[in-house]
Amino acid sequence: MFLDIKVPSFNATLMGIVRGVADYYGLTYSDAQLYGLSGHAFMINIHDSLCASGPYCWKRQPFYDALLNTGIRMDEGQFIDSNITQNERNKIEASLISRLDRGELCGFVNLEYQLITGYDETGFITTQPWTGIDYPPGHLAFSSWQEFGKEIHVNFFTFDKTEPAPEKTAIIAGLRFARDQADRASACSEAKYHTGPGAFDTWITAVEAGHGDGHGNRWNGMVWAECRQFAARYCHELADKYPETASLADGIRFGYQIIADNLLKVSDKKLDAAAKIRLLREAKLHEQDCLDQMDHFIEALS
């Protein structure tokens, strides 16, 4: 059994599978719209030690709530670790096979976010996030799940098509997601992780502590730069769609583009710590300014 699903090579692999689901369901949003309407364009999450897990370890329910407005319902199953029994594995596999047989979508996150596109006699066939890179594996063996390695840290997901919300309702919900993850630390962040403008302070402190030349710095820089790049594109699209708000949208777009450029530079391992700190401080100022302007933008759209 195989479903015709493809995912783009986004750094934010969560958004890669969302793009694949949207295409499968015939939803014609641009990439920037999917990032913006779901709120992921405005997300940032930094661990105290600048761990590469920042893009993955956050409370996703507010994201699912915003995504629902696009017509995609994404439900997250219980977290599974290495203590899972064989009987429990068998039940999960049977449930996934049943969905696939009905043409319904499912996926998981272990190392990266992947969709399950079908199965053969040996196991599930899965999407791989990046073209030309054989990682993570494009297969999950029945029973053993050997591709997960000795340690299992997995959530399975299901996806269903629903009725999209009215356009402005969806737009405002995505923008309010941005405000919420910035203003309420508990909305999306877990222990030792930080969202919103405060995440830039955490990032600066980690660079000062010597974590600025590691994989965590590089990967956080690449993922969150991509998000802010799509935030800028989204604001550009909103300015075209709602000319009466163009000046506000363009102002926010300008700020997010600077943040995107700065974070991409910060991701460079060769850049010295002092330069990274200067770029991060500038990015934080623009982040706060964008959020402040967003209040006026939401009011104008309303």
Side-chain angles (χ1 to χ4, degrees):
M1 177 65 192
F2 299 95
L3 303 178
D4 184 18
I5 308 172
K6 296 180 177 63
V7 298
S9 296
F10 293 155
N11 293 328
T13 56
L14 171 55
M15 293 307 300
I17 66 170
V18 167
R19 175 76 271 174
V21 170
D23 290 342
Y24 180 79
Y25 286 146
L27 300 172
T28 58
Y29 299 108
S30 69
D31 292 341
Q33 283 178 306
L34 283 178
Y35 267 83
L37 293 171
S38 69
H40 203 290
F42 314 109
M43 187 64 194
I44 185 169
N45 186 49
I46 301 297
H47 186 267
D48 286 342
S49 64
L50 201 46
C51 177
S53 60
Y56 312 92
C57 296
W58 49 282
K59 300 173 186 175
R60 293 182 286 263
Q61 189 57 51
F63 167 81
Y64 301 146
D65 293 341
L67 182 66
L68 186 61
N69 291 306
T70 70
I72 298 173
R73 176 173 177 171
M74 183 174 180
D75 290 313
E76 179 176 322
Q78 184 177 357
F79 175 75
I80 297 167
D81 61 20
S82 300
N83 294 319
I84 186 173
T85 66
Q86 190 59 57
N87 185 52
E88 290 171 328
R89 293 192 199 205
N90 294 341
K91 287 181 179 179
I92 291 171
E93 290 177 3
S95 176
L96 295 173
I97 288 172
S98 178
R99 284 189 65 88
L100 291 168
D101 286 344
R102 296 193 301 268
E104 298 171 356
L105 300 184
C106 45
F108 60 88
V109 59
N110 183 52
L111 298 174
E112 296 292 346
Y113 290 88
Q114 297 176 264
L115 293 175
I116 300 174
T117 61
Y119 60 90
D120 59 17
E121 67 277 6
T122 65
F124 293 109
I125 310 302
T126 63
T127 60
Q128 293 178 290
W130 302 293
T131 302
I133 300 177
D134 190 22
Y135 171 87
H139 181 269
L140 182 62
F142 287 144
S143 183
S144 69
W145 298 359
Q146 62 188 22
E147 292 85 353
F148 287 163
K150 294 181 180 179
E151 292 291 329
I152 298 176
H153 306 279
V154 64
N155 284 102
F156 286 94
F157 307 101
T158 59
F159 302 89
D160 295 286
K161 186 177 182 180
T162 65
E163 186 67 26
E167 184 176 67
K168 279 194 176 181
T169 299
I171 292 169
I172 291 170
L175 298 176
R176 283 182 172 155
F177 172 95
R179 289 291 343 187
D180 205 34
Q181 61 98 15
D183 295 339
R184 291 197 302 117
S186 61
C188 292
S189 60
E190 299 182 348
K192 297 185 178 181
Y193 292 87
H194 307 270
T195 63
F200 292 90
D201 294 327
T202 302
W203 200 333
I204 290 167
T205 300
V207 171
E208 291 173 336
H211 300 296
D213 59 354
H215 174 61
N217 177 81
R218 174 182 174 274
W219 190 235
N220 277 282
M222 291 177 64
V223 170
W224 305 127
E226 178 184 83
C227 289
R228 293 307 182 274
Q229 181 66 57
F230 277 116
R233 293 183 193 177
Y234 182 55
C235 289
H236 179 70
E237 292 182 11
L238 290 178
D240 285 345
K241 184 177 287 288
Y242 300 102
E244 68 277 13
T245 68
S247 61
L248 283 168
D250 283 338
I252 300 172
R253 176 194 61 79
F254 177 77
Y256 280 132
Q257 187 60 62
I258 291 176
I259 298 167
D261 293 343
N262 282 18
L263 295 186
L264 194 58
K265 292 174 184 175
V266 168
S267 71
D268 185 356
K269 184 177 181 179
K270 296 179 182 179
L271 190 67
D272 66 82
K276 290 178 179 178
I277 290 169
R278 286 195 299 271
L279 290 165
L280 289 168
R281 284 175 177 161
E282 181 183 22
K284 180 192 174 182
L285 292 174
H286 284 286
E287 182 83 4
Q288 187 61 62
D289 184 59
C290 287
L291 291 169
D292 292 341
Q293 292 185 69
M294 200 172 288
D295 290 331
H296 301 296
F297 189 44
I298 292 172
E299 183 178 354
L301 284 171
S302 300

